[in-house]
Amino acid sequence: MTSTLNGARILVADDQVDVARTICSPLRKAGAKLRFAPDGNAAMRDLTCWPFDLVVVDMKMPPDEWGGLWLLRQLNSYGWRVPVLVLSGEGSKQQVIESLRLGATDWIDKDAADTELLVRCKQILDDSLERSLDAASGCLPTPLALRFSRYTRTVDPEKRVIEGLHTLEAILRLAAQVGLSNPVPLPLSGIAAERLMQPSMGTWFSLCVALSRGSDPVQAFSDLFSWLAPERADRQLVQDFVNLRNDIAHGRATPDPSTQRQVDHLLRIYAHRAFAFCRFSVGVTTSMTFDGAKYGVEVLAFRGVGKPIPDLFQSSGPQVTGQVVLFAPGVSPLSLEPWLIAHNTGNATRCFQFDGVRRARSALDASSPLKYARVDDGEDMRDLGHPEGTWAAVMKWF
C-alpha cells in the first residue's frame, strides 16, 4: 500500500513542528522524505529551493491567522500546481471550503490524521502519478513533451524501456543545453570539449553534474535537473540508467520487468514535478513593440506536442527576431542559441537541437558546422546555415 510514498518528497507546513512530526510519523515509516516548515514564508522558501511531490498544510499558522490559506494564495500567484493536503484543526467549514477553492487537493480533520493521513497522501500521489505523463505531454517544452508522448504511446514492454531511456536522455539534453546558455559561461572542469562532437546520454549527464557545481547556474537548468535528481544521492540512479542505455546499445543487456517499473516510476515522478513547478516556455521571437518602458515580444511557443502557438512576454531589453529563447513570467528571457535554433522550412517555423559536430575530412576548427536534429521527429537536418551554428560558439565553455 505504501510503495508510492517510498522516496516521495513531502513538505509539511505547521507551526507546531513537534506535533507535525508525530502526526506524520506514518509517512516517514512508509519511506517518505519529510521536510518541516514552521510557517508559510519558510514553506515558500523551501518550495523555491527544492521540488516536492506533495505539501501538507496546517490551516492555522503564521504569517496570517489562517496561514494555510495564505500559502495556497502564494502557490497560485507563482503558478505552481503541486498537490496540497490541508489539515483542518481549528478551522471552520468556511476555511476548508476556501482552501479547496484556492486549489487544495483534499483535506482531513487534524484529529483524524493518525488514521487517515497515510491513506490520503498515498491516494493523492497515486492519482497525480497516473495523470503525470499526459500532463507532461501537454505542458512541457516540445523537446520533452514529444518524448513523453512517444513513451506513453509505446506498448511493447521492451520497446517501452528503450523509449523511456530516450526520454531520460532528452531531459538531460535539454537541461544541459539550458545550463550551457548561461550568458556568463564558466569553464567546465573534467569535461573534454571533444565529448560534444558526438554527445551521448552520458555526456549530457556529465554536463548536468558539472553545471550544477557552478556558482550561479541558470534557474531553469536547476529546475530541470533537480526534478530528476533533487539530491546528490539521487544521481546514482540516473547513472545506473546511463549505464543500462550503453549496455542495451552494445547488446550487453536486455530490459526486464523490474527495469521497466523503475524507468516508469522515475519518468512519472519527473513528469509530476515538472507539471507542478514548470513556469517557463521555449519559443521563437517573431515581432516586438515598445511602450516606452518595456518591450512586448511576440513568440511562437514550442509547448506540448502540437504546432507552435502564439504567445507574448515582456522584456526590459530588445530581443532578436528569429531567436530561440526561454521565457517565464517576471524573468529576463534567455537566448538558447547555439544549442537550440529556429529555421523556416516552407511555411512553417521549426525548432532544432544541437546534436554534435559535422566533421569534414579536414581537421576540426572554429568554423566546423554543428549538427542539428528537429525536435519533433529527431531527424538530422543538414546545411541550416545558421550564423551561430559553428564550433566557435561551443568552445567558449571550454
Side-chain angles (χ1 to χ4, degrees), residues 179-192:
L180 290 168
S181 300
N182 195 324
V184 185
L186 299 174
L188 298 172
S189 59
I191 306 292

Side-chain angles (χ1 to χ4, degrees), residues 104-117:
T105 309
D106 201 355
W107 71 278
I108 59 174
D109 192 293
K110 205 168 185 178
D111 293 335
D114 57 341
T115 59
E116 295 187 27
L117 183 63

Side-chain angles (χ1 to χ4, degrees), residues 224-291:
L224 284 162
F225 191 44
S226 69
W227 298 334
L228 185 65
E231 299 176 18
R232 289 193 176 187
D234 300 315
R235 295 175 186 174
Q236 184 56 54
L237 179 60
V238 181
Q239 182 62 62
D240 291 342
F241 285 130
V242 171
N243 297 339
L244 175 63
R245 171 76 172 82
N246 293 335
D247 288 344
I248 291 175
H250 293 91
R252 296 190 296 262
T254 55
D256 57 33
S258 175
T259 302
Q260 180 183 349
R261 289 191 294 271
Q262 287 181 314
V263 171
D264 187 75
H265 182 69
L266 183 59
L267 288 178
R268 287 182 183 275
I269 286 290
Y270 186 91
H272 166 66
R273 292 169 180 169
F275 177 73
F277 292 103
C278 186
R279 303 176 68 214
F280 53 80
S281 298
V282 171
V284 178
T285 56
T286 57
S287 64
M288 183 172 52
T289 59
F290 184 59
D291 65 3

Side-chain angles (χ1 to χ4, degrees), residues 13 39-41 57-73:
D39 55 58
N41 285 310
V57 178
D58 183 37
M59 287 291 286
K60 195 166 188 177
M61 65 174 182
D64 293 340
E65 178 181 5
W66 302 108
L69 297 179
W70 179 91
L71 180 56
L72 285 167
R73 293 189 183 99

Side-chain angles (χ1 to χ4, degrees), residues 72-73 76 95-104:
L72 285 167
R73 293 189 183 99
N76 285 337
Q95 277 76 44
V96 171
I97 293 173
E98 179 66 7
S99 71
L100 296 175
R101 188 188 70 81
L102 290 171

Side-chain angles (χ1 to χ4, degrees), residues 307-325:
K307 294 181 180 180
I309 56 176
D311 206 340
L312 178 72
F313 67 84
Q314 289 192 322
S315 171
S316 58
Q319 300 298 305
V320 178
T321 300
Q323 192 172 68
V324 180
V325 296

